[in-house]
Amino acid sequence: MIRNVLRMGDPRLLEKAQPVTAFNTPELKQLLADMRETMDHLDGAGLAAPQIGVGLRVVVFGFEANARYPDATPVPYSVLINPQLIPLSDETEEGWEGCLSLPGLRGVVPRWKHLRYSGWDAEGHLFEREVEGFHARVVQHECDHLEGILYPMRIKDLRSFGFVEELSERQQTE
Ligand code: NI
């Protein structure tokens, strides 16, 4: 079922999400199905459970080709539950981000460039990946939602924040 996505300003987006303790339950399966359907419907690169008003540490992300991020390298569709993130170097990089909770807006956000993340998949298996670039960026963005952090809170220069329709093409691709 396509769920309503909360928008910035809703206090539920600022709460810290709670760990999942029961795997392979019908409730969790339904949540994951709803999250994927909602994300696909809105052409999102990722979605965190708090964005649909569920305060659990669950994120989904991934895409083949995304109209909202035409230059991004594809990321396999992934379910990540109770995630842990570890930066693999001090290196950060800036890049444009959007969020389904701030429709129509984009901003430049600094993120760790190299990352190891681990967590549980939909079947309750622990897995681990080392990633960089846009994949690393998406994971950090989605996992921030679990701490009640929205990307504008991380923007260093608010001149690089605005409505997609107003930002010049140069700004969006640099
Ligand atoms: Ni988001």
Side-chain angles (χ1 to χ4, degrees):
M1 187 175 72
I2 294 168
R3 305 275 291 262
N4 183 41
V5 176
L6 308 181
R7 291 189 303 172
M8 189 176 184
D10 189 304
R12 287 172 287 180
L13 289 171
L14 303 176
E15 288 172 11
K16 191 174 158 76
Q18 299 303 307
V20 170
T21 52
F23 291 87
N24 285 312
T25 64
E27 292 80 11
L28 183 60
K29 284 196 176 77
Q30 188 61 55
L31 173 64
L32 294 173
D34 287 356
M35 287 176 70
R36 178 158 200 177
E37 203 177 337
T38 304
M39 180 181 103
D40 288 349
H41 174 69
L42 298 170
D43 211 12
L47 187 71
Q51 290 181 277
I52 57 167
V54 176
L56 290 172
R57 303 186 79 76
V58 177
V59 303
V60 301
F61 53 88
F63 52 86
E64 293 277 316
N66 189 297
R68 294 173 71 236
Y69 300 94
D71 301 324
T73 312
V75 174
Y77 180 76
S78 307
V79 168
L80 182 59
I81 300 169
N82 299 345
Q84 271 207 307
L85 274 57
I86 300 165
L88 293 175
S89 74
D90 290 338
E91 219 178 328
T92 60
E93 64 184 0
E94 303 216 299
W96 287 93
E97 293 184 19
C99 181
L100 297 177
S101 294
L102 291 91
L105 290 159
R106 286 288 172 91
V108 170
V109 184
R111 299 285 185 189
W112 300 113
K113 191 174 179 188
H114 304 279
L115 197 72
R116 179 187 300 135
Y117 68 88
S118 61
W120 281 261
D121 67 14
E123 284 76 43
H125 301 125
L126 186 62
F127 72 104
E128 180 180 280
R129 282 184 189 147
E130 284 184 20
V131 296
E132 59 179 10
F134 196 72
H135 190 150
R137 174 171 300 279
V138 168
V139 172
Q140 289 171 84
H141 175 115
E142 298 312 327
C143 292
D144 262 359
H145 280 295
L146 307 180
E147 302 301 320
I149 297 168
L150 298 163
Y151 79 83
M153 300 174 189
R154 294 200 182 275
I155 293 175
K156 294 245 173 74
D157 180 353
L158 283 164
R159 287 174 296 188
S160 304
F161 180 49
F163 289 93
V164 177
E165 288 173 355
E166 307 299 337
L167 293 162
S168 73
E169 218 160 274
R170 181 192 62 78
Q171 279 179 306
Q172 286 189 66
T173 54
E174 73 187 4

